[in-house]
């Protein structure tokens, strides 16, 4: 057995070998009790006895030096200040570990490692001005609240999402569908550099791997896999964002959609997702509610905190006098509230609207109110 290899090097080799995808890698590692070095040193007969392993794959494993240049890859990792993160590393994204076809490893460029909840914002490359504005605004607001915004650095919505997070000095992660020595699209070179400086650019592909029709879907499963939720902003029915949305459903991630105009092709995919049961969101507060986070009291960037039963918004004396009317669990009409609180209808209407916005009261379909 070649004992000169480390387990980390073995994972790097598997990641770069043709025909050894994430699912096959799991099967191989299970057969060899998680020992990648033993797997690479196994003879032909031993490998052929492994269920699902054919002669072609055995040839790749027994002659891996002919198909993957380990020394070159390690040299490029050092020269390009890039890490290769495996499942054995603590920096491997926690949520990504949960998916069935999790990557063998990730090329990771940038000092940032995930220390907060992640939310993906994805959408069409041919975005409208409305879509770009919404993507940038949502990303900036979520980043200000302490989320890490994840996207694919593609043209359109992806680019706007990264720019929104960076505009408030917060963290963002770009997942590429090519090697990290390739910037795609090329016009995003400056954005790439800024993300590396303030966040991270990530890929499961070796240096030199160019984009093809298979790499984008592989990239998309990572985008959704490392996030708690995926927000789709503008997509046609056959767009790449629909693939990300499908992965989000398979991975049990929250899928949220921002609606668009019914007469635009860029809204067709979003409307289809809404018909299929995705959550409609029109504000960052909708996102927080779906994920069960509360908006922090401070305007400073901080991590979202689980919702508490404590009040997070100050209540005026007038508002408190109205809330007192509901102390026994009553359901009251505005007229009854005005009577109990000894205030005019106009005053009560204003107070009720304020308390509803602060989520202390809920308006029922019949126009009456009850405490939230």
């Amino acid at each position: 057995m070649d004992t000169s290899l480390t387990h980390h090097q073995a994972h790097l080799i598997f990641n770069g070998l043709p025909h050894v995808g994430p699912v096959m890698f799991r099967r191989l590692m299970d057969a060899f009790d998680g020992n990648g070095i033993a797997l690479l040193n196994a003879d032909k007969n031993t490998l052929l006895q492994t269920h699902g392993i054919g002669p072609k794959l055995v040839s790749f494993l027994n002659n891996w030096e002919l198909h993957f240049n380990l020394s070159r890859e390690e040299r490029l990792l050092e020269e390009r200040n890039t890490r290769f993160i495996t499942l054995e590393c603590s920096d491997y994204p926690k949520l990504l570990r949960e998916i069935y076809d999790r990557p063998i490893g990730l090329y990771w460029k940038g000092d940032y490692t995930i220390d907060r909840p992640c939310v993906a914002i994805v959408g069409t490359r041919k975005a409208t001005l409305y879509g770009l504005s919404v993507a940038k605004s949502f990303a900036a607001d979520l980043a200000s609240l302490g989320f890490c915004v994840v996207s694919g650095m593609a043209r359109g919505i992806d680019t706007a999402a990264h720019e929104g997070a960076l505009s408030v000095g917060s963290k963002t992660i770009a997942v590429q569908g090519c090697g990290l020595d390739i910037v795609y699209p090329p016009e995003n070179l400056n954005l790439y550099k800024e993300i590396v400086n303030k966040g991270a650019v990530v890929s499961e592909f070796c240096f030199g791997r160019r984009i093809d029709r298979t790499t984008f879907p592989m990239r998309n499963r990572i985008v959704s896999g490392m996030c708690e939720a995926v927000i789709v902003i503008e997509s046609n029915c056959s767009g790449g964002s629909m693939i990300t949305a499908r992965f989000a459903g398979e991975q049990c991630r929250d899928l949220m959609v921002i609606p668009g105009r019914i007469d635009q092709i860029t809204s067709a995919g979003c409307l289809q997702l809404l018909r299929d049961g995705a959550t409609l969101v029109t504000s960052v507060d909708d996102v927080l509610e779906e994920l069960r986070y509360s908006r922090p009291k401070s305007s400073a960037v901080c991590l979202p905190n689980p919702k508490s039963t404590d009040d997070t918004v100050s209540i005026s004396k007038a508002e408190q006098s109205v809330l007192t009317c509901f102390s026994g669990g009553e359901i009251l009409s505005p007229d009854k509230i005005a009577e109990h609180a000894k205030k005019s209808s106009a005053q009560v209407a204003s107070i009720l609207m304020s308390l509803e916005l602060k989520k202390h009261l809920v308006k029922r379909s019949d126009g009456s109110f009850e405490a939230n």
Side-chain angles (χ1 to χ4, degrees):
M1 177 181 289
D2 183 358
T3 57
S4 63
L5 288 175
T6 66
H7 288 286
H8 189 271
Q9 288 174 319
H11 281 68
L12 189 58
I13 292 167
F14 290 126
N15 193 76
L17 282 179
H19 307 296
V20 182
V23 176
M24 178 58 71
F25 173 72
R26 288 185 64 176
R27 182 185 300 172
L28 290 169
M29 292 297 280
D30 288 344
F32 283 80
D33 296 324
N35 191 333
I37 299 174
L39 173 55
L40 288 173
N41 284 279
D43 58 39
K44 178 179 179 180
N45 291 332
T46 302
L47 289 171
L48 285 173
Q49 292 172 8
T50 304
H51 176 68
I53 308 302
K56 189 172 184 179
L57 180 55
V58 169
S59 177
F60 278 113
L61 293 172
N62 283 161
N63 303 284
W64 65 263
E65 299 97 333
L66 300 177
H67 306 284
F68 182 75
N69 191 330
L70 176 60
S71 59
R72 173 185 176 274
E73 202 73 6
E74 290 185 314
R75 175 174 54 81
L76 289 174
L77 282 168
E78 184 175 356
E79 290 177 356
R80 299 179 184 279
N81 195 25
T82 301
R83 293 174 289 157
F84 183 71
I85 298 175
T86 70
L87 284 163
E88 298 172 342
C89 301
S90 60
D91 292 342
Y92 194 97
K94 182 179 178 182
L95 288 180
L96 198 58
R97 293 176 184 271
E98 299 175 357
I99 71 173
Y100 176 70
D101 53 349
R102 55 183 178 256
I104 297 171
L106 292 170
Y107 288 76
W108 196 284
K109 189 173 179 64
D111 292 333
Y112 176 66
T113 54
I114 296 174
D115 61 354
R116 61 194 67 190
C118 293
V119 172
I121 296 179
V122 298
T124 182
R125 290 169 172 78
K126 300 177 180 179
T128 65
L129 291 176
Y130 160 79
L132 295 174
S133 174
V134 170
K136 193 168 185 177
S137 174
F138 262 68
D141 287 349
L142 286 168
S144 295
L145 291 169
F147 289 92
C148 174
V149 175
V150 178
S151 198
M153 210 176 75
R155 298 180 180 98
I157 297 298
D158 289 18
T159 292
H162 292 304
E163 290 175 343
L166 293 170
S167 71
V168 294
S170 194
K171 305 300 182 183
T172 184
I173 293 176
V175 185
Q176 287 210 142
C178 55
L180 292 190
D181 55 337
I182 300 170
V183 178
Y184 184 85
E187 65 265 26
N188 273 352
L189 175 60
N190 289 333
L191 178 63
Y192 178 102
K193 293 178 178 178
E194 191 172 2
I195 293 174
V196 169
N197 288 332
K198 296 182 180 178
V201 181
V202 179
S203 175
E204 69 176 313
F205 301 108
C206 304
F207 292 115
R209 176 66 183 272
R210 296 195 173 275
I211 290 169
D212 59 43
R213 65 173 58 189
T214 66
T215 61
F216 279 128
M218 294 173 71
R219 182 273 308 270
N220 293 348
R221 88 186 193 288
I222 297 175
V223 170
S224 58
M226 67 169 58
C227 294
E228 293 189 7
V230 173
I231 302 173
V232 182
I233 303 175
E234 293 192 332
S235 175
N236 62 36
C237 290
S238 59
S241 301
M242 300 295 282
I243 298 175
T244 310
R246 177 172 59 81
F247 280 127
E250 293 174 356
Q251 296 164 353
C252 298
R253 305 298 189 244
D254 283 292
L255 178 59
M256 307 178 195
V257 174
I258 294 177
R261 290 177 49 164
I262 62 173
D263 61 347
Q264 286 188 329
I265 188 65
T266 53
S267 298
C270 293
L271 296 175
Q272 178 178 312
L273 291 173
L274 289 172
R275 287 195 302 270
D276 291 343
T279 301
L280 185 151
V281 294
T282 59
S283 69
V284 168
D285 284 324
D286 291 341
V287 178
L288 295 178
E289 183 174 353
E290 283 299 313
L291 295 179
R292 299 185 180 277
Y293 288 116
S294 60
R295 184 179 286 275
K297 296 179 183 178
S298 170
S299 60
V301 175
C302 58
L303 294 182
N305 296 310
K307 281 187 177 179
S308 168
T309 55
D310 298 331
D311 292 341
T312 59
V313 183
S314 60
I315 302 297
S316 67
K317 289 184 178 179
E319 289 170 338
Q320 187 57 56
S321 68
V322 169
L323 281 178
T324 302
C325 301
F326 297 88
S327 58
E330 289 87 351
I331 297 174
L332 302 171
S333 67
D335 290 340
K336 285 291 184 182
I337 296 169
E339 180 182 336
H340 291 320
K342 296 181 171 55
K343 297 183 182 297
S344 68
S345 298
Q347 287 176 309
V348 166
S350 175
I351 294 171
L352 288 174
M353 180 178 292
S354 176
L355 289 173
E356 192 177 1
L357 289 172
K358 293 177 180 179
K359 301 189 183 300
H360 287 286
L361 294 180
V362 176
K363 188 174 183 179
R364 296 160 58 90
S365 58
D366 61 359
S368 61
F369 289 81
E370 64 179 319
N372 191 4

